[in-house]
Amino acid sequence: MSVMDTALRESLKALRLSGMLETLDARLIQAQGGELGHLDFLQVLCQDEITRRETVAFQRRLQKAKFEQQVTLEEFDFAASPKLPAAQIRDLAALRWLHVGESVILFGPVGVGKTHVAQALGHLAVRQGANVRFTKISRVLAELAGGHADRTWDKRMRELIRPDVLILDDFAMRQLSAAQADDLYELVSERQGRSLIITSNRAPSDWYPLFPNPVVAESLLDRLINTSHQVIMNGPSYRPNKRPRNPAEKPQTL
């Protein structure tokens, strides 16, 4: 290694351009072989650094999203459930709803793939540079209740407001207490203009009786439902398709 090479590497380290540093040897070989001119060499090195930074940022956003599974829409088997609104779900994959601050509600029976699709839409949003967080609604309510107890409610609420997309899984599973309903009202109100993805086994019209105060229910749900794309997911359970098959198990015949 020449003195010039050493100095260049030290300069790249000082400038925190490790993407260039990681590919420098390969690019030098290309340049010495006549594949890259001077400007091409510099452009390719710059692109290497951009790619590295984008990859690091993507991995950081993916980690912060806290998905239960790393799943994508591309791997979802729509053929396993012909009743699912595949065209509507693929249209949501364009993320137009995210860019205008709208939300998505996925509802239907247990096991049809609601959580998979919710996380897959979240994964697409992460790929486009959005900050996403996935959580169960029960966890959100427990976090906020804990905040009331230790006086960190404001801080915990800010953490839920911050993401561009907040995915609330298993919404409206059971009756809410007055405190839980108030917390949800504050969360939805504070996230006005920021997208939610909600999965539920109940249709939105069946959520109202779960709130002890009809006024809170009407105010919260009217605001939420009227700014959401509602997707009815029906059909057989998707879970058997994801279950590992026993090698001794014979395929079923129709």
Side-chain angles (χ1 to χ4, degrees):
M1 184 182 297
S2 69
V3 175
M4 186 175 293
D5 284 348
T6 302
L8 177 57
R9 291 173 187 277
E10 291 303 318
S11 295
L12 291 176
K13 285 182 181 178
L15 292 170
R16 298 181 179 178
L17 297 173
S18 57
M20 292 184 179
L21 189 59
E22 290 169 5
T23 60
L24 180 60
D25 289 337
R27 300 311 184 194
L28 282 171
I29 291 172
Q30 287 181 294
Q32 290 164 359
E35 296 179 42
L36 298 174
H38 295 91
L39 289 177
D40 293 332
F41 175 73
L42 181 58
Q43 174 60 41
V44 171
L45 273 182
C46 288
Q47 187 57 54
D48 290 340
E49 175 61 24
I50 291 170
T51 299
R52 184 195 70 84
R53 292 189 182 193
E54 288 177 345
T55 301
V56 169
F58 169 73
Q59 292 297 337
R60 188 181 298 118
R61 291 194 304 274
L62 202 58
Q63 186 175 19
K64 286 184 176 179
K66 298 181 180 179
F67 293 126
E68 286 186 338
Q69 296 175 301
Q70 298 296 333
V71 294
T72 64
L73 208 56
E74 292 88 345
E75 67 191 43
F76 188 80
D77 185 9
F78 286 100
S81 253
K83 291 184 178 180
L84 291 181
Q88 185 181 10
I89 293 171
R90 290 192 176 104
D91 185 60
L92 291 173
L95 301 185
R96 287 183 289 269
W97 51 273
L98 170 59
H99 303 314
V100 294
E102 296 171 341
S103 297
V104 176
I105 298 174
L106 308 165
F107 64 96
V110 173
V112 293
K114 300 184 298 295
T115 301
H116 182 129
V117 171
Q119 291 182 104
L121 290 173
H123 196 279
L124 282 171
V126 169
R127 282 189 246 171
Q128 286 205 8
N131 291 311
V132 177
R133 180 176 173 187
F134 172 90
T135 184
K136 299 285 187 185
I137 189 65
S138 57
R139 254 181 245 142
V140 168
L141 295 174
E143 281 182 27
L144 293 176
H148 287 297
D150 64 9
R151 298 183 180 180
T152 60
W153 186 89
D154 288 337
K155 179 182 178 182
R156 297 186 190 208
M157 179 62 77
R158 284 196 300 272
E159 289 298 315
L160 294 168
I161 295 168
R162 185 173 294 119
D164 302 305
V165 180
L166 178 63
I167 303 174
L168 300 176
D169 196 33
D170 290 338
F171 193 85
M173 289 283 285
R174 56 182 64 86
Q175 193 86 22
L176 297 169
S177 68
Q180 289 173 331
D182 288 344
D183 282 343
L184 271 181
Y185 176 82
E186 292 296 330
L187 176 59
V188 172
S189 299
E190 290 296 326
R191 283 194 58 87
Q192 190 88 15
R194 290 177 177 266
S195 298
L196 292 165
I197 300 178
I198 291 174
T199 73
S200 180
N201 296 336
R202 303 174 191 257
S205 57
D206 295 332
W207 296 351
Y208 290 86
L210 301 178
F211 288 78
N213 186 330
V215 176
V216 172
E218 187 67 34
S219 180
L220 186 159
L221 296 178
D222 181 70
R223 182 175 302 180
L224 175 60
I225 293 169
N226 287 332
T227 58
S228 297
H229 299 265
Q230 297 183 33
V231 183
I232 303 174
M233 297 185 65
N234 210 340
S237 176
Y238 184 73
R239 289 174 185 166
N241 300 300
K242 306 294 287 183
R243 187 178 59 222
R245 185 177 293 277
N246 186 335
E249 184 181 342
K250 294 182 180 179
Q252 295 182 350
T253 57
L254 298 178

